[in-house]
Amino acid sequence: MADHYRDNVLHGSEHDTYASSTRWRHQESSSFARHARPRAPDGRDGSQDLTVFLNSSRVDAPPQTSGSTGPRHAPLSAGDDIAHGPATVSGEDAVMTELPSVGQGILEVKCGPLLNYRRMENETWYGSVLIVTKGGGLFERPPPVLVITASPANIGSSGHAPAIDGPGQEAASNEPYAAFNGNSSFHDPARPGTSNEAPNGTSSTEDTKITATKLYSDPNNTFWRFDLIVPLLDVEIRCDYSIPGLSFPDSKKTDKNSFYIPAISDSMRIMFHSCNGFSVGTDEDAWSGAALWNDVQRFHKTTPFHVMLGGGDQIYNDGIRVYGPLREWTDIGNPMKRQKYPFPEEMRRRCDDYYVNNYIRWYGTEPFATANGQIPQLNLWDDHDIIDGFGSYTDEFMRCSVFRGIGGVANKYYLLFQHHLAPPATSFTTADKPQRKQLGLAPTRSRESEEPRPTTASTNATSGPDARQLENTYVLQEKEIDSSYIIGAKPGPYVVDHSRSIYARLGARIAFFGIDARTERTRHQVNYPETYDIIFSRLRKELGAAKNSSSPIHHLIVLLGIPIAYPRLTWLENIFSSPLLGPLKFLNKRFGFGGGFFNHFDGNVDLLDDLDDHYTARTHKKERLFLVQQLQALASEFSVRISILGGDVHLAAMGRFYSNPKLNIPVSNDHRYMANVVSSAIVNKPPPQAVANLLARRNKIHHLDHDTDETLIKLFDKDPGKTCKTSSSNHVTMPSRNWAQITENKALEGHNGTNGHVNGNGVNGTGEAQPKTLPHTKNGHEWIHAGEVDAGTTHKAANATHHGRDHDGSLHVCIHVEKDQHDASGQTQGYGVSIPKLIYTGAANLHVKAHAPELVDAHHDNSK
């Protein structure tokens, strides 16, 4: 009776009471399996010969009509067994000796290929490709194989590559140009001493084959990852890859794609975007869908991007509460009842289906889908990758079963789709899972190992994975964490997993640091103080090693997701959190008064979670000051120019920190000068013109501290297209969809990069020589260095012909702004500016606080 009750709790009242009590529900006993499994090929009694005979004598099916997938039988396979998997071999023999053609359609692709970039080290590029195929579970099948080759990119002095009309175009040369995954050598014409022979004496002209690693498989979907390792050369290379044996529901989709890797001496050409999806209720047709990805593709065809930085909200999962499984929960009028609502296994399963199907739908939507397979991605998540406002509601509401449940499910698919990582054990726990000890169950064990999967300690975490979620499911145990990740000190308060920030080189002189600003977020903190200690320790280690090498880092690009140099809206926060709104909140809870003015979760004003997200919010003021000062200290210690990327706000802008003009420090020597490029959204609709104009009027000169000022720069000298988008006085915020392009101006040998001087020789954005002494800057509302002169449409960085063609070590930044929302081709207007290289000559700024300030404990949220 006790066992029957336990099974009902674990598997539901309608489960098969006669099924095996083990996790592998239809598995025979181990003794039976040992005697029943097929014999190895060519073993006793000639099982291999029998298999060959049966397959050779089988009569093929008659020719199929259009739309069929070919013969209805599959050849027998000796030596395979479902319970224990196929007979395996090691080394190169593990790769299929004969690759199937696409027409055979061995695997039906539901999503992909998705191309990711991980890191560069030891003159080697690391990345991965992901595909999601139909069906799976514990049933073993041969893994797919990726075929890859590389050729010289043939990008001339003009910077233009041969036109790429679509995936699967022929490479510039038919000869492979590099080794992959250590399988062969290569011949580099720029290095006369290299050989074109593989170590074993075979020619390297053969394609390199890479067998997939299965990350995760349930009865509906299987996730396959191909790990790519490519040596850098003295010239830029183009990599062409294909995955034979796949079938695509979309007849226009193929398995062939290409991507580019810079030369050893070059930095990457960067594309940055955020807010890549539509909010619930948006008329997507009125905004021509994801039109700006057509613009990205146009630029990529002529001057290919090496990396695509996703600043958060790569997908919008908010629909889960409107037309998904959380609709019944959000329809509950009383926030207190919503807070106490359970998250049973049946709801979790439906949420799981929603997230994976929404990812498959959106990542397969053109023209975004094509970019996914051709430009390596590097992504950090934000709230909409989970659900709107996740982490910024009151603490007691964020800790409810439903929010914690969807946090785990969203994290599972965020890691799979956006990072090509197997989900951790914490993805398979729920707040409503019965305690296994109370049921007399041992810790759940993985299929591959007798050791229990590691779990994360947390005040609200259960003791181990939920066995119900792992039925007929395979989960890879990642053997090691990729070195590009900076793992947080402890699990997040609402997502029971550690944060994953990222550090990676972006070529020769640019490094990237992206902070995971969502996993640890509450209304009173963005990241734990202990996580900041880990982050800045890692950054000092990386920058120090680069400084002492032959390839020091000149620019560090920091991705924060949310703008940090941005107008304050404290007065609006005060209104929305005022006690005077208490009676309205009460009427909303009881009678629904106020409609959309209040959110569907904790009953607060709907915009308050967005304001609380901002670094400029009063609750994050101390943390913001600490973060900026730590970045300033890094800049001074390693003479590296730090530039910040931000999204989230659905408009384009560019803020900056800089030394108080009274200090009279040239920008080229100013470690406090940090530009904040704000590019948002590439897909979602922008805010009304009135909101952008209001923000422009709030663009005051703020004093971060005694020595540091901040403000937005005048970047928008005119509106894009023929439509009036801003008032005549607004030149700092642009409410139109956009994306950003960043390229290094590779310095000539001996060039000191003086374009940043306020008082000194320099070249402005138009290329015209400047007078020896530039006018003294009065305040930050005007330009403060030569690279900001004529910022906007006439700047050299805004011109495709001249973008990235200077030789002073600066960065060219161009924000591409949509001209007409009704134009499906996504034509844009460019607005340019340059960011000078830092030549720091003063003493390192080491007097800042060594540790993050103690923040308000999320367990004692007094904001209700």
Side-chain angles (χ1 to χ4, degrees):
M1 186 66 179
D3 289 342
H4 180 70
Y5 170 75
R6 180 190 65 187
D7 289 345
N8 283 345
V9 173
L10 280 175
H11 310 298
S13 59
E14 297 181 358
H15 77 283
D16 183 1
T17 58
Y18 298 98
S20 167
S21 61
T22 67
R23 196 176 136 208
W24 319 114
R25 187 154 292 257
H26 301 291
Q27 178 179 322
E28 303 91 346
S29 68
S30 57
S31 59
F32 177 85
R34 280 196 300 271
H35 294 285
R37 67 182 305 179
R39 290 183 293 275
D42 293 326
R44 187 181 56 179
D45 298 329
S47 64
Q48 177 66 27
D49 295 336
L50 176 62
T51 304
V52 172
F53 169 76
L54 290 175
N55 283 329
S56 62
S57 61
R58 177 167 294 203
V59 179
D60 287 341
Q64 304 296 312
T65 58
S66 61
S68 67
T69 58
R72 299 179 185 274
H73 76 270
L76 299 179
S77 175
D80 287 0
D81 113 51
I82 296 176
H84 295 82
T88 59
V89 291
S90 59
E92 294 183 357
D93 293 334
V95 180
M96 288 187 292
T97 56
E98 183 177 350
L99 296 175
S101 65
V102 175
Q104 287 180 275
I106 288 180
L107 293 174
E108 180 180 332
V109 176
K110 298 179 72 173
C111 187
L114 308 179
L115 177 64
N116 265 24
Y117 168 67
R118 292 203 181 279
R119 67 187 189 280
M120 281 182 175
E121 59 184 38
N122 299 323
E123 298 187 351
T124 304
W125 182 99
Y126 293 83
S128 60
V129 171
L130 180 87
I131 60 171
V132 183
T133 59
K134 184 178 181 179
L138 294 176
F139 178 77
E140 296 285 358
R141 63 181 65 196
V145 176
L146 180 144
V147 182
I148 187 167
T149 187
S151 308
N154 287 347
I155 297 179
S157 58
S158 65
H160 287 207
I164 307 173
D165 295 328
Q169 294 299 305
E170 293 299 322
S173 169
N174 291 327
E175 298 229 350
Y177 205 64
F180 296 91
N181 296 56
N183 290 337
S184 63
S185 182
F186 60 89
H187 172 64
D188 182 357
R191 299 181 182 181
T194 58
S195 168
N196 63 351
E197 294 295 316
N200 60 4
T202 61
S203 172
S204 65
T205 57
E206 296 180 0
D207 295 329
T208 299
K209 302 178 182 67
I210 302 169
T211 304
T213 297
K214 183 162 64 174
L215 298 180
Y216 173 83
S217 183
D218 61 28
N220 297 317
N221 305 289
T222 300
F223 291 75
W224 305 96
R225 181 184 71 204
F226 304 88
D227 294 310
L228 307 181
I229 304 174
V230 185
L232 303 177
L233 303 180
D234 287 340
V235 295
E236 183 173 3
I237 58 177
R238 165 175 165 162
C239 298
D240 296 273
Y241 70 93
S242 62
I243 311 172
L246 305 181
S247 65
F248 295 83
D250 183 354
S251 59
K252 298 180 181 178
K253 190 84 171 177
T254 76
D255 66 308
K256 297 179 174 62
N257 282 284
S258 303
F259 63 95
Y260 290 78
I261 297 176
I264 290 176
S265 60
D266 291 341
S267 298
M268 289 186 175
R269 294 185 291 268
I270 302 166
M271 180 264 177
F272 169 62
H273 70 92
S274 69
C275 303
N276 181 43
F278 287 105
S279 296
V280 173
T282 303
D283 185 348
E284 299 182 15
D285 291 336
W287 292 91
S288 305
L292 260 63
W293 284 105
N294 287 319
D295 195 53
V296 173
Q297 287 291 84
R298 274 192 296 273
F299 279 85
H300 182 63
K301 288 177 182 178
T302 57
T303 309
F305 295 110
H306 297 124
V307 69
M308 180 165 69
L309 303 179
D313 301 338
Q314 279 72 246
I315 185 171
Y316 276 61
N317 286 314
D318 306 338
I320 193 171
R321 67 172 177 83
V322 178
Y323 39 79
L326 294 189
R327 177 62 184 267
E328 61 192 66
W329 177 62
T330 53
D331 281 347
I332 298 174
N334 190 323
M336 293 300 295
K337 291 183 179 180
R338 283 198 298 269
Q339 181 181 326
K340 297 178 181 179
Y341 198 85
F343 192 70
E345 169 60 15
E346 188 271 339
M347 176 180 278
R348 185 213 61 81
R349 187 181 299 110
R350 288 191 290 136
C351 288
D352 191 283
D353 290 341
Y354 176 87
Y355 277 100
V356 68
N357 290 330
N358 198 40
Y359 263 106
I360 290 171
R361 176 195 66 83
W362 182 245
Y363 273 63
T365 300
E366 294 292 355
F368 176 51
T370 297
N372 283 332
Q374 296 182 347
I375 311 175
Q377 304 172 69
L378 196 56
N379 296 328
L380 273 301
W381 67 346
D382 205 13
D383 59 334
H384 293 282
D385 296 277
I386 311 172
I387 196 170
D388 184 23
F390 189 94
S392 293
Y393 300 112
T394 57
D395 178 68
E396 64 178 11
F397 188 77
M398 284 302 310
R399 291 186 182 277
C400 75
S401 296
V402 173
F403 259 133
R404 291 179 59 79
I406 63 173
V409 176
N411 186 49
K412 169 184 173 181
Y413 288 112
Y414 165 64
L415 294 177
L416 282 167
F417 280 96
Q418 299 195 41
H419 290 269
H420 304 180
L421 296 176
T426 52
S427 299
F428 304 98
T429 62
T430 65
D432 291 337
K433 195 196 84 166
Q435 293 292 330
R436 298 186 61 81
K437 290 183 179 180
Q438 294 177 4
L439 296 172
L441 297 177
T444 302
R445 296 176 183 268
S446 67
R447 183 173 185 266
E448 310 82 43
S449 170
E450 289 302 312
E451 295 296 324
R453 288 187 56 126
T455 56
T456 304
S458 176
T459 54
N460 292 307
T462 53
S463 58
D466 187 338
R468 295 170 297 178
Q469 300 180 33
L470 293 172
E471 289 184 0
N472 196 18
T473 296
Y474 171 89
V475 183
L476 175 72
Q477 289 187 352
E478 299 278 6
K479 295 181 179 179
E480 59 184 22
I481 299 173
D482 191 86
S483 60
S484 61
Y485 290 106
I486 305 175
I487 305 301
K490 55 187 177 181
Y494 315 128
V495 176
V496 189
D497 193 14
H498 292 253
S499 63
R500 288 174 173 82
S501 299
I502 298 174
Y503 174 87
R505 288 289 289 254
L506 301 184
R509 290 163 297 277
I510 300 178
F512 169 84
F513 163 60
I515 191 167
D516 181 346
R518 188 55 53 179
T519 302
E520 300 175 359
R521 178 181 288 273
T522 71
R523 294 191 78 180
H524 296 286
Q525 73 174 25
V526 180
N527 290 96
Y528 296 129
E530 302 91 332
T531 296
Y532 281 120
D533 292 342
I534 295 172
I535 284 172
F536 286 106
S537 175
R538 170 69 180 274
L539 291 179
R540 281 185 165 82
K541 176 182 176 182
E542 297 287 354
L543 295 174
K547 185 177 182 180
N548 297 323
S549 72
S550 60
S551 182
I553 294 169
H554 295 168
H555 293 273
L556 176 63
I557 293 179
V558 177
L559 174 57
L560 297 180
I562 297 174
I564 195 168
Y566 197 69
R568 277 94 163 133
L569 293 173
T570 306
W571 60 276
L572 198 55
E573 291 181 68
N574 293 335
I575 294 175
F576 288 163
S577 58
S578 170
L580 297 176
L581 289 179
L584 292 179
K585 292 181 182 179
F586 175 78
L587 292 174
N588 175 259
K589 291 178 182 179
R590 294 295 300 272
F591 307 109
F593 178 80
F597 185 69
F598 299 95
N599 68 57
H600 293 274
F601 297 136
D602 62 357
N604 279 316
V605 176
D606 192 40
L607 289 176
L608 190 57
D609 67 288
D610 293 306
L611 296 175
D612 283 341
D613 260 0
H614 287 203
Y615 280 100
T616 53
R618 67 174 185 269
T619 53
H620 300 312
K621 185 176 181 180
K622 289 183 179 180
E623 188 173 0
R624 176 178 182 266
L625 174 63
F626 166 81
L627 178 57
V628 173
Q629 289 181 338
Q630 285 293 317
L631 293 175
Q632 291 176 349
L634 286 178
S636 67
E637 187 174 349
F638 300 101
S639 190
V640 58
R641 175 68 70 198
I642 294 178
S643 302
I644 302 170
L645 303 180
D648 183 73
V649 293
H650 297 186
L651 49 75
M654 184 168 172
R656 46 148 153 74
F657 299 98
Y658 55 95
S659 289
N660 190 314
K662 294 180 180 179
L663 299 176
N664 198 28
I665 301 175
V667 169
S668 61
N669 307 131
D670 184 8
H671 67 286
R672 300 184 186 92
Y673 182 90
M674 293 187 292
N676 184 185
V677 180
V678 182
S679 180
S680 171
I682 191 170
V683 171
N684 209 351
K685 66 178 182 181
Q689 182 182 134
V691 173
N693 293 335
L694 171 64
L695 288 168
R697 287 194 294 272
R698 298 295 302 172
N699 182 36
K700 313 296 182 182
I701 295 179
H702 295 280
H703 305 289
L704 178 76
D705 56 29
H706 184 267
D707 297 325
T708 308
D709 289 354
E710 59 177 291
T711 191
L712 300 178
I713 73 168
K714 295 179 180 178
L715 182 61
F716 306 104
D717 52 325
K718 65 177 185 179
D719 285 340
K722 300 179 181 180
T723 304
C724 180
K725 296 180 181 290
T726 61
S727 66
S728 59
S729 61
N730 179 9
H731 299 288
V732 296
T733 59
M734 179 58 67
S736 189
R737 297 192 295 184
N738 60 91
W739 60 277
Q741 176 184 11
I742 304 170
T743 310
E744 181 197 32
N745 293 297
K746 183 178 178 181
L748 298 176
E749 186 143 354
H751 197 290
N752 61 2
T754 56
N755 83 323
H757 284 274
V758 171
N759 295 304
N761 295 325
V763 179
N764 74 351
T766 62
E768 300 296 330
Q770 293 297 293
K772 290 185 177 181
T773 302
L774 295 171
H776 183 72
T777 300
K778 295 181 180 180
N779 61 65
H781 284 312
E782 307 300 327
W783 56 263
I784 60 176
H785 68 89
E788 291 180 359
V789 175
D790 293 325
T793 58
T794 61
H795 196 281
K796 181 183 291 188
N799 187 309
T801 304
H802 300 292
H803 181 94
R805 304 290 185 267
D806 278 347
H807 301 287
D808 57 5
S810 66
L811 294 181
H812 267 172
V813 178
C814 181
I815 300 180
H816 297 269
V817 179
E818 185 177 38
K819 293 181 179 180
D820 182 2
Q821 72 182 64
H822 303 292
D823 179 8
S825 67
Q827 299 290 333
T828 60
Q829 172 69 61
Y831 297 84
V833 70
S834 67
I835 300 172
K837 173 184 172 182
L838 175 63
I839 306 174
Y840 187 72
T841 57
N845 185 18
L846 302 178
H847 67 276
V848 298
K849 293 180 180 179
H851 300 284
E854 290 299 325
L855 306 173
V856 177
D857 191 341
H859 295 271
H860 299 88
D861 188 338
N862 297 317
S863 60
K864 298 181 284 295

